[in-house]
């Protein structure tokens, strides 16, 4: 499975299909095993990311890492935050999932 690179400067890739833990994924010509299940349309790390690293998508910063991620790991609200707007979830607003 080859994730989508939206811009050459991006450090995240977008999944065109869901991946399962252990599934082979291709990143920059190298094949590695997906570290966890990730849903279609979500981002994965193009390479290892550290706390504080800017997350680049479409060649622009969309947030910062709040926890480290290895290459191929899921990048989402559990390990990144927006630097521009507050992130809200149904859980945060008290709505049912």
């Amino acid at each position: 499975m080859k994730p989508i690179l939206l811009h050459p400067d991006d450090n995240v890739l977008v999944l065109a299909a869901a991946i399962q833990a252990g599934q082979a994924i291709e990143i920059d010509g190298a094949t590695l095993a997906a570290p966890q299940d990730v849903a279609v349309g979500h981002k994965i790390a193009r390479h290892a990311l550290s706390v504080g690293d800017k997350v680049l998508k479409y060649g622009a910063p969309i947030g910062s890492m709040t926890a480290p991620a290895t290459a191929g790991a899921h990048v989402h609200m559990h390990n990144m935050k927006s630097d521009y707007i507050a992130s809200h979830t149904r859980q945060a607003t008290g709505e049912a999932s």
Side-chain angles (χ1 to χ4, degrees):
M1 198 290 224
K2 187 173 181 179
I4 301 167
L5 176 62
L6 298 171
H7 188 279
D9 293 340
D10 289 354
N11 56 11
V12 292
L13 305 162
V14 178
L15 296 178
I19 57 173
Q20 304 298 312
Q23 180 178 344
I25 53 176
E26 183 183 331
I27 299 177
D28 293 336
T31 301
L32 57 99
Q36 71 240 108
D37 296 352
V38 183
V40 64
H42 282 241
K43 300 175 296 300
I44 61 172
R46 186 173 177 190
H47 52 77
L49 298 171
S50 300
V51 173
D53 284 353
K54 294 294 182 191
V55 177
L56 301 175
K57 184 176 177 187
Y58 297 108
I62 62 166
S64 297
M65 296 299 293
T66 58
T70 59
H74 191 200
V75 176
H76 198 56
M77 294 175 64
H78 67 284
N79 59 3
M80 73 162 282
K81 68 174 182 71
S82 171
D83 293 334
Y84 310 102
I85 59 171
S87 297
H88 299 284
T89 65
R90 285 182 236 199
Q91 290 79 16
T93 61
E95 293 180 31
S97 326

